[in-house]
């Protein structure tokens, strides 16, 4: 799904898709400040605590972030940090194939501190897969990772703070997505044989004006979300031997905003085939219009 084999004429090499989709799922945080007892022992705090909103928590971002990193740190020296996908996810196989990593952190957005789970995707999730993933993250915030984190005393001036990733059950996640390059693949760009390189150079020298035709990309197959369209276009360009064009297209799309502008750039590199189902639906509607006119 996210990997494919490419033959260089001598051996088969395994290569990953040269991009990933980074998806951030943001949700509200809540906190409680406990003031230290003046005459109590060290570690004693006054009850009850004072509730803190997400803007006030932003003032303590550095301390909260350190506490998150501490919970995520490996339990044993040399181990791997906590990863939602590697630790305990036993959901749908398609999600396990698409989601490489899931890391919990905090994110400051315009002075508001949010809980944040960052997913690294090989390809875009279907709507039902995203819903299942959000349910899993909510469960981790309330009963798994979050249950451990909320017991940590985060130092603050005059007392301690306890932070909760699950102030509401099943939160409406704010979703931010962007396509990023896969740094693990940068060194594989030159992993082709010398004979293959010389063959390409010879062909270009013989046909300096030759322009490669645009491969066809079906919207039925890749969907209409711009990240799905971009990932599908990159896959088909690489499959047809146009890795440089794929990288160039990615760089251009990453510098613009808006669906239409991004799609216009993608169309310079691939020929987009309309969604067949939608096209049939449109044609059916057009056929019905004259019939309705005759009935009148």
């Amino acid at each position: 799904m996210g990997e494919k084999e490419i033959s260089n004429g001598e051996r088969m090499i395994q290569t990953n898709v040269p991009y990933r989709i980074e998806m951030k799922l943001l949700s509200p945080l809540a906190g409680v400040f406990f003031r230290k007892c003046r005459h109590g022992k060290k570690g004693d705090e006054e009850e009850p605590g004072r509730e803190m909103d997400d803007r006030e928590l932003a003032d303590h971002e550095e301390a909260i972030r350190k506490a998150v990193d501490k919970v995520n740190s490996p339990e044993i020296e040399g181990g791997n940090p906590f990863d939602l996908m590697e630790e305990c996810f036993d959901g749908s196989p398609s999600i396990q194939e698409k989601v490489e990593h899931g890391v919990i952190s905090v994110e400051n957005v315009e002075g508001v501190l949010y809980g944040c789970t960052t997913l690294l995707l090989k390809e875009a999730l279907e709507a039902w897969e995203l819903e299942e993933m959000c349910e899993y993250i909510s469960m981790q915030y309330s009963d798994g990772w979050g249950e451990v984190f909320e017991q940590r005393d985060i130092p603050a001036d005059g007392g301690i703070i306890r932070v909760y990733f699950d102030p509401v059950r099943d939160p409406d996640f704010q979703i931010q997505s962007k396509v990023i390059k896969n740094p693990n693949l940068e060194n594989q760009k030159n992993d082709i044989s010398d004979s293959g390189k010389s063959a390409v150079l010879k062909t270009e020298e013989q046909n300096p004006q030759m322009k490669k035709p645009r491969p066809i990309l079906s919207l039925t197959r890749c969907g209409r979300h711009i990240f799905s369209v971009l990932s599908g276009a990159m896959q088909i360009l690489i499959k047809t031997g146009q890795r440089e064009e794929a990288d160039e297209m990615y760089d251009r799309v990453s510098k613009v905003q808006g669906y239409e502008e991004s799609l216009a750039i993608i169309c310079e590199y691939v020929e987009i085939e309309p969604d067949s189902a939608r096209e049939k639906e449109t044609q059916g509607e057009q056929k019905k219009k004259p019939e309705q006119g005759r009935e009148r």
Side-chain angles (χ1 to χ4, degrees):
M1 187 173 297
E3 300 181 352
K4 52 183 175 292
E5 291 183 336
I6 297 178
S7 173
N8 65 4
E10 298 176 354
R11 60 190 176 87
M12 298 294 287
I13 60 173
Q14 195 77 8
T15 178
N16 296 321
V17 176
Y19 68 93
R20 289 292 184 267
I21 300 173
E22 182 186 82
M23 175 179 288
K24 292 186 176 183
L25 303 173
L26 306 178
S27 58
L29 287 176
V32 179
F33 174 77
F34 296 92
R35 186 175 299 279
K36 290 181 180 178
C37 294
R38 293 183 179 181
H39 306 292
K41 298 179 181 179
K42 184 177 180 180
D44 291 343
E45 289 83 29
E46 295 179 353
E47 297 282 354
R50 177 178 61 82
E51 293 186 1
M52 304 173 68
D53 62 22
D54 41 20
R55 287 191 176 275
E56 190 176 0
L57 288 174
D59 296 332
H60 303 272
E61 178 183 352
E62 184 177 353
I64 295 172
R65 192 178 297 278
K66 287 181 179 179
V68 170
D69 292 342
K70 187 68 174 177
V71 174
N72 284 338
S73 61
E75 295 183 359
I76 58 174
E77 186 175 353
N80 295 322
F82 181 84
D83 190 316
L84 284 173
M85 302 309 296
E86 295 179 358
E87 296 293 331
C88 46
F89 182 78
D90 59 355
S92 299
S94 62
I95 297 177
Q96 296 181 43
E97 285 289 327
K98 293 180 179 180
V99 184
E100 278 191 327
H101 300 292
V103 179
I104 299 175
S105 62
V106 292
E107 189 85 1
N108 190 322
V109 181
E110 297 180 352
V112 175
L113 198 64
Y114 291 91
C116 176
T117 291
T118 301
L119 304 178
L120 194 62
L121 311 176
K122 296 178 182 178
E123 59 181 276
L125 296 174
E126 300 289 344
W128 68 268
E129 293 172 326
L130 180 58
E131 182 179 357
E132 180 180 329
M133 198 67 215
C134 288
E135 291 177 356
Y136 169 64
I137 294 170
S138 296
M139 180 191 68
Q140 280 292 325
Y141 285 173
S142 60
D143 301 324
W145 185 96
E147 189 174 14
V148 175
F149 182 75
E150 67 187 32
Q151 297 177 34
R152 297 196 68 87
D153 293 343
I154 301 172
D157 187 21
I160 58 100
I161 299 171
R162 292 191 184 127
V163 177
Y164 304 90
F165 273 68
D166 64 332
V168 294
R169 193 74 176 181
D170 299 325
D172 291 329
F173 288 96
Q174 297 182 37
I175 300 176
Q176 299 178 350
S177 298
K178 65 179 180 180
V179 177
I180 61 173
K181 284 190 176 180
N182 179 10
N184 296 329
L185 201 74
E186 290 301 308
N187 295 329
Q188 294 186 20
K189 290 183 179 180
N190 298 322
D191 191 13
I192 60 176
S193 64
D194 293 336
S195 59
K197 289 182 179 179
S198 61
V200 172
L201 290 173
K202 186 176 181 180
T203 303
E204 291 178 348
E205 289 172 0
Q206 292 174 347
N207 304 280
Q209 303 300 323
M210 183 180 66
K211 186 176 181 180
K212 296 179 181 178
R214 290 183 301 162
I216 298 176
L217 175 67
S218 172
L219 281 184
T220 305
R221 186 172 183 179
C222 70
R224 292 178 172 273
H225 194 284
I226 193 61
F227 296 111
S228 298
V229 177
L230 179 58
S231 70
M234 293 186 72
Q235 289 185 46
I236 199 169
L237 284 171
I238 293 170
K239 186 177 181 180
T240 54
Q242 302 182 61
R243 180 180 290 279
E244 290 185 4
E245 287 83 350
D247 287 342
E248 179 183 278
M249 177 185 66
Y250 165 81
D251 288 335
R252 292 180 61 192
V253 171
S254 64
K255 294 175 182 176
V256 302
Q257 295 181 349
Y259 182 90
E260 296 297 334
E261 191 174 0
S262 298
L263 189 63
I265 293 174
I266 295 172
C267 286
E268 294 179 24
Y269 297 86
V270 299
E271 182 178 344
I272 294 183
E273 186 179 70
D275 187 331
S276 58
R278 176 60 183 163
E279 189 176 25
K280 290 179 181 179
E281 182 181 334
T282 304
Q283 290 175 352
E285 292 175 355
Q286 291 176 346
K287 288 180 180 179
K288 290 179 181 179
K289 288 182 180 179
E291 296 175 0
Q292 292 174 354
R294 285 196 296 270
E295 288 176 0
R296 291 178 183 175

